Structures are given as structure tokens and as C-alpha cells.
């Protein structure tokens, strides 16, 4: 076993890593988003907190990969922090932009599908799936769309609708690709675990 494999194995089941702490920090920022946008009606500070949340998401991913701090808890906690932040901000924006209900419904459907298929992968394969590039692209587009609606109070309906549709299109693409990945993992597991027939058994 080389040093890299040893470090990754030692970190896999750890809880108190820097990436996990940053993910927990993002969860703590959620009440501030609600208070600033819905109670104080302070768009600029809402945008700052949302940017801080997005920045810590990028930083914890970099630290996890660069310093071999990827853990099973982090693979679960990181997307939970992301999705709760995104859902919270979308619900806040829904108070001013009724069409935000569309990405909210799509997100709930996507996460339900991913949760079910991801749980099956963990149960059958024993591996916690990580995020792929398309999921990160969808996240970046969603954050950009939300920030635009936070700071641009009188955004024209056409521009607003186009931004929302683009985000939803990428979310659908990501859902399909994640579904394909999980299905392939399950299919591969079933193939490996299938009993050999008498004619091929040795």
C-alpha cells in the first residue's frame, strides 16, 4: 500500500476534517439568508452570504482533493449543505418571482431520484458516489441565476425566464447522467454477484 492510498484510507471515515467543517458552516449560513432576504430585505448582504456559501463549497472541494481529505461523511454532508442552501434561496426568491416554483419542483424530483438510486448504489456496491462535472456545472448555473435575481430587483421577465430555463435544462441533463452512472454501477454489481451456471463453473 503506497502513501497516497494509506492517507486516503485513513481519512475516509473521519468526521472532523476541514471540508466537513466548511460544509457545516454552510448549513449555519442558511438562517442568515432567510433573515436578510425575507425580513431585512437586504439584497446586497444576501448576495454576500450566498457568495460566501458558494466560495466555501469550492474551497472545501479543493481542500478535500488536494490534501486527501475526502471522506464518506463529506460526500453526504457537502451535497446536503448545497441543496438546502439552494432550496432555501429559491423559496426566498419565490416570494418575488413566481416562476421559481419550477426549479424548486425539479430540484425536489431530482434529489428524490438521486437519493433513491444513490442509496441503492451504497447498499449494493458499498461506495458513496461523489459529484461529477455536470452536477458542478448545474450548481454554478443555479447560483449564478439566484444571485442575478437577488441583486437585480427589476429584472425583465424575459431575461428571468431564460435564466431559469437554462438552469433547469442543465439540472435535467445532470439528472439523466447521474441516473445513468448509478444504473451502470448497479448493473455492474449485479453482474459480478450473479451466480455462475453449471456449464461455466469450475
Amino acid at each position: 500500500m503506497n502513501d497516497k492510498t494509506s492517507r486516503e484510507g485513513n481519512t475516509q471515515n473521519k468526521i472532523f476534517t476541514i471540508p466537513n467543517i466548511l460544509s457545516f458552516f454552510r448549513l449555519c449560513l442558511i438562517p442568515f439568508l432567510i433573515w436578510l432576504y425575507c425580513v431585512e430585505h437586504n439584497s446586497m448582504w444576501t448576495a454576500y452570504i450566498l457568495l460566501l456559501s458558494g466560495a466555501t463549497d469550492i474551497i472545501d472541494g479543493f481542500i478535500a482533493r488536494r490534501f486527501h481529505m475526502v471522506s464518506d461523511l463529506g460526500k453526504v454532508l457537502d451535497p446536503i449543505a448545497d441543496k438546502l442552501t439552494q432550496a432555501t434561496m429559491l423559496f426566498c426568491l419565490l416570494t418575488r418571482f413566481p416562476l421559481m416554483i419550477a426549479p424548486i419542483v425539479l430540484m425536489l424530483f431530482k434529489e428524490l431520484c438521486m437519493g433513491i438510486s444513490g442509496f441503492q448504489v451504497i447498499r449494493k456496491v458499498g461506495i458513496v458516489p461523489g459529484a461529477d462535472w455536470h452536477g458542478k456545472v448545474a450548481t454554478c448555473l443555479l447560483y449564478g441565476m439566484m444571485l442575478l435575481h437577488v441583486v437585480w430587483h427589476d429584472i425583465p421577465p424575459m431575461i428571468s425566464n431564460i435564466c431559469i430555463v437554462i438552469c433547469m435544462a442543465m439540472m435535467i441533463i445532470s439528472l439523466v447522467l447521474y441516473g445513468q452512472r448509478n444504473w451502470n454501477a448497479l448493473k455492474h454489481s449485479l453482474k459480478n454477484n450473479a451466480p455462475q451456471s453449471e456449464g461455466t463453473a469450475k
Side-chain angles (χ1 to χ4, degrees):
M1 180 182 294
N2 58 35
D3 292 341
K4 180 178 179 182
T5 304
S6 178
R7 286 196 301 269
E8 290 176 349
N10 291 336
T11 309
Q12 196 71 17
N13 296 319
K14 284 189 175 180
I15 295 176
F16 295 105
T17 64
I18 294 175
N20 291 348
I21 292 172
L22 288 175
S23 294
F24 180 74
F25 173 71
R26 292 207 306 281
L27 288 172
C28 295
L29 291 177
I30 292 176
F32 290 97
L33 285 174
I34 299 172
W35 178 68
L36 287 169
Y37 191 82
C38 297
V39 179
E40 292 295 312
H41 305 291
N42 192 323
S43 298
M44 291 310 300
W45 272 105
T46 302
Y48 293 150
I49 296 297
L50 193 59
L51 282 170
L52 177 61
S53 180
T56 57
D57 183 23
I58 295 172
I59 292 170
D60 74 28
F62 171 78
I63 292 175
R65 293 186 298 271
R66 177 66 178 80
F67 298 100
H68 311 292
M69 294 184 181
V70 177
S71 65
D72 286 342
L73 176 62
K75 291 179 181 179
V76 175
L77 187 60
D78 179 69
I80 288 177
D82 289 343
K83 301 311 174 186
L84 284 179
T85 299
Q86 294 162 15
T88 298
M89 195 67 251
L90 286 173
F91 273 109
C92 289
L93 290 170
L94 183 61
T95 61
R96 296 188 62 246
F97 303 98
L99 193 59
M100 288 294 171
I101 191 63
I104 290 174
V105 172
L106 178 58
M107 176 182 290
L108 293 175
F109 176 75
K110 177 176 179 286
E111 295 310 313
L112 177 63
C113 293
M114 291 305 304
I116 294 173
S117 61
F119 175 76
Q120 292 299 319
V121 171
I122 295 172
R123 190 168 66 89
K124 295 290 186 181
V125 183
I127 298 175
V128 180
D132 286 342
W133 67 267
H134 46 82
K136 296 175 182 178
V137 171
T139 297
C140 288
L141 287 175
L142 186 57
Y143 270 94
M145 183 272 288
M146 292 189 299
L147 279 168
L148 185 64
H149 283 79
V150 167
V151 300
W152 194 353
H153 294 280
D154 56 347
I155 182 173
M158 180 177 293
I159 296 178
S160 174
N161 295 343
I162 290 174
C163 292
I164 292 174
V165 168
I166 290 174
C167 284
M168 292 180 64
M170 191 63 222
M171 289 168 67
I172 293 172
I173 291 172
S174 181
L175 172 60
V176 172
L177 293 178
Y178 273 133
Q180 184 179 35
R181 182 194 69 176
N182 289 347
W183 169 250
N184 288 337
L186 290 172
K187 185 168 64 173
H188 182 71
S189 174
L190 291 173
K191 182 178 179 181
N192 288 342
N193 294 331
Q196 291 181 321
S197 64
E198 293 183 359
T200 58
K202 293 183 180 180

